[in-house]
Amino acid sequence: MSNVFFVGCGPGDPELITVKAKKLIQKADVVVYSGSLIPEPILKLCKKGKLHDAAKLVREEIFDLLYKNAKKDKLVVRLHDGDPAIYGAIREQIDNLEKKGIESTVVPGVTSFLASAAALGTQLTLPGVTQTMIITRAEARTKVPKREQISELAKHQATLIFYLSVHLLNKISKEAIEGGYKKTTPVAVVYRASRKDQKIIIGTLTDIASKVKAEKITMTAIVIIGDVIKPKSYEYSKLYDKT
């Protein structure tokens, strides 16, 4: 049966692509990629294949490209930034391909919240602080269920991670405080994590929005809220405890 590969290329640093993803891109006959989000050095790995920029296409055109080329038994790669499973819109593509008799394989990639944690040199779960991460986005064009409003999620006092939301920092900060985070809770914003033009901005819920505005950052940034950013104290792991 014909197959389409949904491949994550990582957060931006070309060396953070997986070996599996690299091999698939090099062998691909057709690569449909996510516009300017895919770094040029990764696109250059595609030696013999035909490149199609998905940013210039609508859903039906993308599906058509994947389906028709897979039907001809070509090696087809749908290339996503980061990891395809996170805000990647792959479910609809996989389901529609399956209806037409085309199988799909997902190849994971390093996602940008992990690259952001690496840039910060921080641990997102800390004993005595939190053992939970919540990955979400602020409501804009895509609606968020009522139970997932920021003020509701904030009640957990976990590490709260936002994709696609840096332009809504004022709203995020206000609702996070309403939900129970202290105004002094640390916030980190990592712009273009792992790339050469990466920027890190650290603040609190009261001043992070103005700091980010001063840097003119409105997209391609991860927002992380929580005491793990600047922990006052934490417990040592029991994993390596001599007792």
Side-chain angles (χ1 to χ4, degrees), residues 11-242:
D13 179 347
E15 292 186 350
L16 286 177
I17 190 169
T18 65
V19 174
K20 190 168 192 172
K22 185 178 179 181
K23 284 179 179 175
L24 280 166
I25 296 164
Q26 286 172 330
K27 290 192 293 185
D29 298 306
V30 174
V31 174
V32 182
Y33 67 97
S34 299
S36 61
L37 295 169
I38 309 295
E40 197 62 37
I42 287 175
L43 293 177
K44 282 181 179 172
L45 293 172
C46 182
K47 302 292 184 193
K48 60 173 190 138
K50 191 165 183 188
L51 291 164
H52 299 271
D53 183 354
K56 297 171 182 171
L57 306 170
V58 296
R59 181 188 289 111
E60 290 76 12
E61 290 170 320
I62 294 168
F63 175 73
D64 215 38
L65 267 173
L66 301 179
Y67 170 68
K68 284 181 176 172
N69 284 289
K71 198 78 179 155
K72 293 174 188 168
D73 282 327
K74 291 186 176 181
L75 200 167
V76 181
V77 169
R78 173 69 175 98
L79 191 60
H80 288 261
D81 57 306
D83 181 276
I86 300 182
Y87 303 113
I90 63 169
R91 181 79 260 167
E92 59 195 43
Q93 297 175 72
I94 290 169
D95 286 348
N96 283 323
L97 287 166
E98 196 176 88
K99 285 175 194 166
K100 295 256 193 175
I102 307 289
E103 286 185 352
S104 298
T105 301
V106 180
V107 178
V110 177
T111 186
S112 52
F113 90 81
L114 296 175
S116 298
L120 294 165
T122 198
Q123 188 176 322
L124 296 174
T125 57
L126 269 177
V129 180
T130 184
Q131 292 294 290
T132 302
M133 293 176 289
I134 298 173
I135 300 163
T136 188
R137 65 179 295 175
E139 186 171 83
R141 225 173 13 172
T142 300
K143 295 297 175 193
V144 170
K146 207 167 187 180
R147 65 184 181 276
E148 293 174 20
Q149 298 294 322
I150 296 163
S151 54
E152 288 296 310
L153 299 179
K155 290 175 183 176
H156 297 283
Q157 301 289 293
T159 302
L160 196 48
I161 300 162
F162 287 89
Y163 276 75
L164 307 164
S165 306
V166 71
H167 59 299
L168 298 168
L169 255 181
N170 273 316
K171 169 189 165 78
I172 290 169
S173 300
K174 182 171 169 283
E175 291 188 28
I177 292 165
E178 280 171 15
Y181 282 105
K182 291 177 185 170
K183 291 180 179 180
T184 54
T185 303
V187 185
V189 171
V190 184
Y191 170 75
R192 289 171 73 84
S194 85
R195 299 179 187 235
K196 285 178 182 173
D197 55 349
Q198 170 186 287
K199 277 185 190 175
I200 296 170
I201 298 150
I202 307 281
T204 66
L205 284 171
T206 51
D207 66 12
I208 192 67
S210 58
K211 284 185 173 185
V212 168
K213 189 179 179 184
E215 292 287 339
K216 296 185 169 65
I217 293 169
T218 56
M219 58 192 297
T220 54
I222 293 287
V223 179
I224 304 175
I225 300 171
D227 289 328
V228 293
I229 303 296
K230 280 188 172 181
K232 291 187 178 76
S233 65
Y234 60 91
E235 296 167 12
Y236 277 14
S237 166
K238 300 288 187 285
L239 186 61
Y240 301 109
D241 196 294
K242 63 185 174 186

